[in-house]
Amino acid sequence: MKIHSFLKTIAAGIDSCNERMGRFVSWIVVFLVAVVFIDVLMRYAANISFVFIQELEWHLFGFIFLMGAGYTLLYDQHVRVDIIYQKLSPKGRAWVNVLGCIVFLFPGALLIIYTSWDFAWESFVSMEGSPNPGGIPFRFIIKACIPLGYVMFLLQGLSMFIRNLNILIEPSDKVRKRII
């Protein structure tokens, strides 16, 4: 029973971490909207455009996508074909989620973390910046978000795995009461 409580504590900690990251990312979305608005206003009203602003837009979008993936998974808002899934029982859904984590989520996230680590590290070591005049000088920051974002996603997958494994282990009447 202690391992059960320990795993629930780990899952809750991961959920809390991704919840905080999701709230932070939501403010970055507001900032991105303001940056795009200013860019469009400057471009069409004053016929002025800056490379820095254009690069900032895609850096912010990349940050939102990468760092918000764990939050999206936390609230089960990721892309899923629900034709069969929605008709399954809670235990059936738990089986799909557990197997999906083992077969797809864990290997995929680990592969991306593994392959992007050197990419981000080399960018950091060389202090890579934009090759464009007037561009963002710290391109390594967005590249570091690739492995970091996937670590957050992998951790949220672990939390999802723990919660769904718990559904499979506990008696059916407890699952029914919790869902109702």
Side-chain angles (χ1 to χ4, degrees):
M1 197 59 149
K2 285 187 178 191
I3 189 81
H4 181 71
S5 294
F6 177 68
L7 291 175
K8 280 179 125 177
T9 302
I10 288 174
I14 292 169
D15 292 351
S16 175
C17 186
N18 269 308
E19 176 70 35
R20 285 192 301 272
M21 180 57 74
R23 289 176 189 266
F24 177 69
V25 167
S26 69
W27 285 106
I28 300 300
V29 170
V30 173
F31 181 60
L32 174 61
V33 169
V35 168
V36 170
F37 176 76
I38 291 166
D39 183 33
V40 169
L41 191 64
M42 288 181 356
R43 193 175 323 141
Y44 290 105
N47 204 22
I48 299 170
S49 183
F50 295 104
V51 172
F52 184 90
I53 299 293
Q54 291 172 354
E55 287 185 4
L56 182 60
E57 290 170 5
W58 70 262
H59 278 235
L60 292 172
F61 178 76
F63 179 84
I64 291 164
F65 178 80
L66 290 164
M67 302 309 290
Y71 179 79
T72 303
L73 187 59
L74 170 64
Y75 285 99
D76 202 25
Q77 297 297 309
H78 54 288
V79 176
R80 180 198 322 258
V81 180
D82 282 343
I83 296 169
I84 298 170
Y85 185 83
Q86 68 187 359
K87 295 178 183 176
L88 296 174
S89 68
K91 286 209 182 233
R93 290 180 187 178
W95 272 113
V96 169
N97 290 335
V98 164
L99 293 173
C101 284
I102 293 169
V103 175
F104 298 111
L105 193 147
F106 295 152
L110 287 169
L111 179 66
I112 292 173
I113 292 165
Y114 176 76
T115 57
S116 67
W117 182 259
D118 286 339
F119 176 71
W121 180 252
E122 288 174 16
S123 181
F124 173 73
V125 168
S126 67
M127 298 300 284
E128 180 183 4
S130 173
N132 301 316
I136 293 178
F138 306 117
R139 185 163 283 178
F140 63 88
I141 294 172
I142 191 64
K143 288 186 177 184
C145 287
I146 299 169
L148 181 59
Y150 273 90
V151 165
M152 298 290 289
F153 182 67
L154 178 67
L155 289 172
Q156 192 57 52
L158 178 62
S159 172
M160 184 174 103
F161 179 82
I162 291 169
R163 282 186 273 115
N164 283 280
L165 198 58
N166 185 43
I167 291 170
L168 294 175
I169 291 170
E170 63 184 27
S172 294
D173 59 326
K174 284 187 179 180
V175 173
R176 233 179 278 114
K177 286 178 187 175
R178 194 176 70 234
I179 291 173
I180 294 172

